[in-house]
């Protein structure tokens, strides 16, 4: 899978151990808008997806996480690699931890029908809501709205991926 970009905070030199938690995320474009999960609590947007469980492959993760977070059913045969973002930083809660994450992004199509979300506690607390949003509006919200204590780095990652999709023409009107 192609490397989209690196996010290296270079703040982990004093870390004593490493924690790796890779993720898979869905890029679902419909009618010039992109499916994103909006945190109503922090007014920010992330792509549907999440952590890859032990023994799980990234495509199975993107299908599972998109169903759980968004209630969208990914069509397995439609899943295509888009790229990955490599992230490395000092742990948010533990400064002795070096956090490493490869975020795998997949272009996906989904069925018309939806299913109820299955949110975990923190997702429910943030009031995760599926929205199809204008990509520029999501970028603006992620970069310029007040997100309280929310870590800004994942939001900037999503903004950069959105900019790449825009630059590569994924939101042009089909004639």
């Amino acid at each position: 899978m192609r490397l989209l970009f690196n996010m290296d905070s270079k703040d982990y030199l004093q870390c004593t151990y490493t924690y790796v938690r890779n993720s898979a995320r869905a890029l679902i474009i419909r009618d010039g808008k992109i499916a994103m999960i909006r945190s109503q609590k922090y007014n920010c947007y992330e792509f549907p997806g999440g952590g890859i469980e032990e023994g799980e492959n990234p495509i199975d993760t993107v299908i599972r996480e998109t169903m759980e977070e968004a209630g969208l059913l990914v069509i397995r045969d439609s899943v295509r690699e888009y790229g990955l973002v490599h992230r490395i930083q000092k742990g948010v809660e533990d400064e002795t931890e070096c956090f490493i994450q490869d975020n795998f992004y997949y272009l996906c199509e989904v069925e018309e029908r939806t299913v109820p979300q299955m949110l975990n506690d923190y997702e429910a607390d943030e009031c995760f809501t599926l929205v199809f949003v204008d990509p520029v509006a999501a970028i603006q919200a992620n970069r310029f709205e007040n997100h309280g204590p929310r870590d800004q780095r994942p939001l900037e990652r999503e903004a950069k991926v959105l900019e790449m999709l825009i630059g590569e023409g994924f939101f042009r009107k089909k004639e």
Side-chain angles (χ1 to χ4, degrees), residues 38-137:
R38 180 174 181 266
S39 166
Q40 292 185 44
K41 183 175 183 177
Y42 296 118
N43 192 28
C44 57
Y45 298 89
E46 292 187 80
F47 295 106
I52 299 171
E53 301 293 338
E54 188 173 334
E56 189 176 43
N57 71 56
I59 292 174
D60 289 338
T61 300
V62 81
I63 291 169
R64 175 183 54 78
E65 286 281 350
T66 301
M67 182 190 66
E68 290 174 0
E69 288 184 355
L72 295 173
L73 301 170
V74 171
I75 301 167
R76 181 178 289 278
D77 291 343
S78 76
V79 178
R80 298 184 330 265
E81 290 182 358
Y82 179 68
L84 76 91
V85 175
H86 180 72
R87 181 175 160 206
I88 183 169
Q89 68 186 61
K90 177 175 57 178
V92 174
E93 296 176 16
D94 181 352
E95 294 193 1
T96 65
E97 172 187 275
C98 177
F99 178 71
I100 300 173
Q101 184 175 57
D102 283 335
N103 300 273
F104 300 97
Y105 289 85
Y106 293 92
L107 294 160
C108 305
E109 293 177 22
V110 295
E111 294 180 19
E112 288 297 318
R113 71 183 176 102
T114 60
V115 297
Q117 292 172 289
M118 295 182 287
L119 302 178
N120 66 29
D121 289 343
Y122 101 84
E123 294 165 344
D125 179 61
E126 288 194 25
C127 298
F128 274 21
T129 305
L130 168 68
V131 294
F132 280 85
V133 63
D134 174 84
V136 174

Side-chain angles (χ1 to χ4, degrees), residues 28-34 112 132-135 170-174:
I28 302 162
I29 301 168
R30 182 185 291 160
D31 299 324
K33 297 192 174 183
I34 186 99
E112 288 297 318
F132 280 85
V133 63
D134 174 84
F170 280 92
F171 297 99
R172 287 193 191 113
K173 300 273 187 220
K174 294 195 166 120

